[in-house]
Amino acid sequence: MKVLRNTLKSIIIGITLITSTYVNVYASETFYDSNKLKNEIYNNLEDWKTDFTLNYGGENIQSILDSAINNEDYLERSVASYNIKISGAINKFNIKYRTTKSQENFIDSELKRIVNNLIDPNMSKVDKIITINNYLVKIYKYDYNLKSDNVYSALTTKKTICQGYAMTAYKMFKILGIDSRIISGTINGTAHAWNMVNIKGNWYHLDITNNDNVIRDKYLLVSDQFLISEGFSWDRSKYPVSYSNYYNSHKTYVDYNNDNEKDIYTYYNGGKWYIKDGVWHYFRYCGKDAIGWLKNDGNWYYFDRNGDMKVGWILDNGTWYYCYSNGQMAYNTTIGKYKLGSTGALIN
């Protein structure tokens, strides 16, 4: 009898487990509204999900997926390919992106760092746009092998195609809260991508690729008609209208040599010293006071968030350093009874 009871108990437990498994598999929501399904697909794409399953009691699943992908310019150019396996109402999505989730995290972190170093919050929107244009012209070279088609490869190799220029700019503008678009079109029949930016309610074209490789800043904040006259073509129904050039004539902002790495360093790290309210500051040539650590003529200096040069003991990210009265960081020495190492950090 005891054996029989145990056997019956095992059967009941087994049935319960099977029932629970059945419920878990088929308990997911079935969408009947195509817009709700599109939003759910977009949420998965935005999170860089590669495999996910959604139930849909309707048709045209591929067009709904396409609509979700095209919902955001950066995402549209990040999806390399996709596959959908359909079994009744069950739709299994497999998405291949041009980058991984971890690479996107690197992109976000790196571009925030770059923007923070480049942009003064007090700059006008136009100056911010110009600074981004100048920076990307500085650090990127065109990839004539046509392999670097995303922001990660652009940042890590410093080479990219038009899509990489446009996607990087789009990300940087987004960090700054500047409305922008990535335009897909052609120039003289060849596929091409560039940006549009919004300034005080008016849209302007910005082709950083050709600003870098054709005539410096020729395509800086220009109109639809200007691009059309230059052989550009795009589906104008999909994008804002640009009625006029921002400037009445072509304007070049910086005379720099894109091939000279030393020149790049000088432009973004070089500058000049000046005194304000009795405190030394260092004005970078890129248009912003130095903040944090700066190496100048072989010596390290530290500036607070206001750009003031600091002297004496400095606590940075949990580590103590010491800067002499002239601002130069001490290293390989002893200050009082405290020993500083080769990096200037206090040795415990």
Side-chain angles (χ1 to χ4, degrees), residues 31-255:
F31 292 90
Y32 294 95
D33 186 313
S34 60
N35 286 325
K36 289 183 178 179
L37 176 65
K38 173 186 170 181
N39 291 336
E40 187 63 25
I41 292 174
Y42 179 76
N43 290 337
N44 281 274
L45 296 173
E46 194 177 35
D47 198 35
W48 244 245
K49 296 285 182 63
T50 55
D51 294 282
F52 54 93
T53 300
L54 296 173
N55 296 344
Y56 179 53
E59 299 178 346
N60 302 320
I61 189 69
Q62 182 174 339
S63 63
I64 296 172
L65 173 59
D66 288 337
S67 180
I69 292 172
N70 297 335
N71 193 51
E72 201 266 342
D73 289 350
Y74 185 87
L75 176 64
E76 180 182 358
R77 286 149 188 85
S78 296
V79 174
S81 63
Y82 63 75
N83 182 53
I84 311 171
K85 291 184 178 180
I86 304 173
S87 178
I90 302 173
N91 301 274
K92 295 183 177 181
F93 298 85
N94 174 255
I95 312 295
K96 295 188 183 301
Y97 303 90
R98 300 185 190 280
T99 52
T100 65
K101 178 66 173 177
S102 62
Q103 288 173 342
E104 284 299 310
N105 290 337
F106 168 82
I107 290 168
D108 290 341
S109 175
E110 182 66 4
L111 290 183
K112 286 177 182 176
R113 182 191 67 79
I114 292 170
V115 167
N116 182 61
N117 287 333
L118 277 181
I119 303 298
D120 185 330
N122 295 320
M123 284 180 176
S124 68
K125 182 180 288 188
V126 173
D127 285 341
K128 291 175 181 177
I129 292 169
I130 291 169
T131 301
I132 298 302
N133 173 81
N134 292 348
Y135 178 76
L136 295 182
V137 167
K138 271 287 187 182
I139 65 167
Y140 284 171
K141 295 180 181 178
Y142 192 81
D143 179 18
Y144 289 97
N145 293 319
L146 307 180
K147 293 181 178 180
S148 179
D149 62 356
N150 61 79
V151 181
Y152 181 80
S153 60
L155 287 173
T156 54
T157 68
K158 300 298 185 289
K159 292 182 180 181
T160 191
I161 59 174
C162 57
Q163 180 164 273
Y165 281 92
M167 291 176 73
T168 306
Y170 179 87
K171 277 277 196 179
M172 296 176 83
F173 292 142
K174 189 172 184 178
I175 292 170
L176 291 168
I178 297 174
D179 289 337
S180 69
R181 297 292 308 272
I182 303 174
I183 313 301
S184 290
T186 62
I187 178 170
N188 296 321
T190 301
H192 189 49
W194 65 95
N195 297 99
M196 292 189 79
V197 291
N198 186 296
I199 302 173
K200 296 182 179 179
N202 298 311
W203 287 90
Y204 303 93
H205 293 273
L206 174 64
D207 185 355
I208 302 176
T209 306
N210 280 315
N211 285 342
D212 187 11
N213 295 281
V214 181
I215 298 177
R216 193 72 73 210
D217 296 341
K218 180 178 180 179
Y219 303 95
L220 177 67
L221 306 180
V222 295
S223 68
D224 286 0
Q225 291 304 317
F226 179 86
L227 288 191
I228 291 170
S229 70
E230 292 286 314
F232 286 69
S233 178
W234 66 101
D235 185 348
R236 297 174 69 186
S237 67
K238 293 182 178 180
Y239 303 102
V241 176
S242 179
Y243 294 100
S244 61
N245 296 341
Y246 187 83
Y247 298 103
N248 292 327
S249 60
H250 168 64
K251 186 174 180 62
T252 298
Y253 284 85
V254 184
D255 182 17

Side-chain angles (χ1 to χ4, degrees), residues 293 300 302 311-324 329-331 335 340-346:
W293 290 102
W300 284 99
Y302 186 82
V311 298
W313 287 103
I314 296 166
L315 180 63
D316 180 45
N317 290 326
T319 301
W320 285 99
Y321 300 85
Y322 185 87
C323 289
Y324 297 115
M329 183 192 73
Y331 62 96
I335 303 295
L340 303 173
S342 60
T343 64
L346 175 66

Side-chain angles (χ1 to χ4, degrees), residues 273 279-282 290 301-304 306-311 314 323-328:
W273 292 93
V279 179
W280 282 101
H281 296 251
Y282 189 84
Y301 301 83
Y302 186 82
F303 301 84
D304 66 16
N306 296 317
D308 295 346
M309 186 187 78
K310 307 304 290 183
V311 298
I314 296 166
C323 289
Y324 297 115
S325 59
N326 63 0
Q328 295 177 5

